[in-house]
Amino acid sequence: MRKGGAHMLDRRIELFLTVAETGSMSAASKQLYMAQPTLSQQMSALEKDLDVTLLERGSRGVSLTPAGQVLYEDAKRISEQAAGTLERMRDLDRHTGAVLRIGGSMNQRELFMPEVISAFSQTYPDTELAFITMPAQDIPRAVAEGRIDVATHWLSASVRELKLQWDVVATFDVGICMSSSHRLAEQDSVALADLDGETLVVNSYGHYDASDAIRNEVASSPYSITLVDASDDEPMESYTLGRALSIIPIPYPFERPHIHIARLDTELKIPVGLITAQNRSLAAKRFVSMAKSTLKEA
């Protein structure tokens, strides 16, 4: 059944759009939960009022006449415009366009957000931005409950379970974070063979898809690499104070004098995206769109 702005049109034109798109009175009547004879009568009445033939009826269904094609194209455009108008009115009614609450853990947000925030503020100066920092494991629930409008996050099981919208906006290479005194610290890139005998810390909270893929590749390699799970509450570079290495996206936004980051020789990537609720506000949609366009041009 058609939704959105279609109900702002004449009811018979709404029915006509469904008939035109299904190409069958029978299929349209099922989709509209309407008896087929009633639907046929409505179409005949519409044609009579307009004094034109809109549908060519045959044994294999219906097709549009030239007049029917004109009506379909115009009515569909009006329906889509009306749907957009209704959505904007809902945004105004909820006041979601006035303040956009942006969430994320500190490390995630610094990966790419500064340039996106700058571009968004210049384009939409009337939208106030409020920043909320919290542990990454708490972010999906905060978005689902409406406490945050949009947030940086990796794709994870919790994002899917809460049925959140996830839009990938950037893709990073896999890096190995280590102490500047580590034996591999002179190398700009390392292979799995170089990690033989090492302990590798992988962020695993929430079953991040990227972390799972990296863990599987390491586990299936012939090398003796000890995998350790990490929590988002602990900065990954803190593990390098000991002998462990850790997985980190690169380019990484923070510079540390005691830290060295080398690129891992792998085809795997670490995608990062923005999560929003399915019924996200107009401001949230604009922010996601701005992130995609800004980072694509970067």
Side-chain angles (χ1 to χ4, degrees):
M1 184 178 296
R2 301 184 65 83
K3 296 180 180 179
H7 66 274
M8 296 179 69
L9 302 174
D10 183 289
R11 171 61 175 167
R12 292 176 302 178
I13 294 181
E14 177 186 344
L15 301 179
F16 167 76
L17 287 172
T18 303
V19 171
E21 291 175 354
T22 58
S24 165
M25 287 287 187
S26 175
S29 63
K30 292 178 181 178
Q31 186 171 324
L32 293 164
Y33 301 101
M34 176 182 290
Q36 185 172 336
T38 302
L39 179 59
S40 296
Q41 291 171 6
Q42 291 286 335
M43 292 300 95
S44 296
L46 178 61
E47 289 176 316
K48 183 177 180 180
D49 285 351
L50 296 177
D51 196 25
V52 292
T53 300
L54 300 172
L55 301 168
E56 292 286 355
R57 297 159 174 82
S59 59
R60 295 187 177 181
V62 297
S63 59
L64 296 177
T65 65
Q69 186 65 38
V70 171
L71 177 61
Y72 173 76
E73 292 175 358
D74 287 353
K76 186 174 179 63
R77 184 181 66 255
I78 294 170
S79 176
E80 291 173 348
Q81 291 174 343
T85 298
L86 288 175
E87 182 62 28
R88 288 191 290 274
M89 293 304 100
R90 293 189 187 102
D91 276 321
L92 290 174
D93 185 55
R94 295 193 299 261
H95 301 287
T96 53
V99 179
L100 181 66
R101 297 162 299 174
I102 303 173
S105 66
M106 182 60 70
N107 286 359
Q108 288 179 348
R109 206 168 70 195
E110 290 298 324
L111 284 174
F112 61 83
M113 292 290 273
E115 54 192 303
V116 177
I117 291 169
S118 176
F120 184 86
S121 296
Q122 292 178 24
T123 306
Y124 303 104
D126 294 334
T127 300
E128 179 183 347
L129 302 181
F131 302 100
I132 302 172
T133 300
M134 63 175 61
Q137 61 263 34
D138 298 335
I139 291 173
R141 179 65 60 183
V143 173
E145 294 176 352
R147 291 182 281 123
I148 294 176
D149 299 308
V150 59
T152 53
H153 204 68
W154 319 111
L155 181 59
S156 65
S158 59
V159 171
R160 287 189 291 269
E161 290 168 0
L162 293 169
K163 295 181 172 58
L164 300 176
Q165 181 78 24
W166 186 76
D167 294 272
V168 60
V169 293
T171 303
F172 295 86
D173 289 329
V174 180
I176 301 294
C177 184
M178 66 191 77
S179 168
S180 57
S181 61
H182 193 275
R183 65 179 179 85
L184 299 174
E186 297 298 322
Q187 299 181 204
D188 291 330
S189 64
V190 296
L192 285 180
D194 297 321
L195 306 183
D196 194 22
E198 297 286 349
T199 297
L200 183 63
V201 180
V202 181
N203 192 315
S204 63
Y205 191 92
H207 303 291
Y208 297 131
D209 288 18
S211 296
D212 288 344
I214 294 168
R215 188 181 295 102
N216 291 337
E217 181 166 306
V218 171
S220 62
S221 74
Y223 309 110
S224 178
I225 303 173
T226 302
L227 289 170
V228 176
D229 290 338
S231 167
D232 260 335
D233 291 330
E234 188 76 14
M236 295 299 285
E237 60 264 30
S238 69
Y239 292 99
T240 65
L241 296 177
R243 295 183 58 189
L245 309 178
S246 60
I247 293 293
I248 209 164
I250 53 174
Y252 196 61
F254 303 110
E255 292 186 6
R256 300 287 190 272
H258 60 284
I259 294 298
H260 176 72
I261 300 175
R263 190 181 308 272
L264 180 63
D265 185 11
T266 176
E267 294 183 358
L268 295 177
K269 299 290 183 180
I270 302 179
V272 64
L274 294 172
I275 57 173
T276 55
Q278 291 290 346
N279 61 338
R280 58 190 179 186
S281 67
L282 178 60
K285 291 179 182 177
R286 286 173 171 172
F287 190 85
V288 172
S289 178
M290 180 64 68
K292 289 181 177 180
S293 61
T294 300
L295 297 172
K296 182 178 180 180
E297 295 170 359

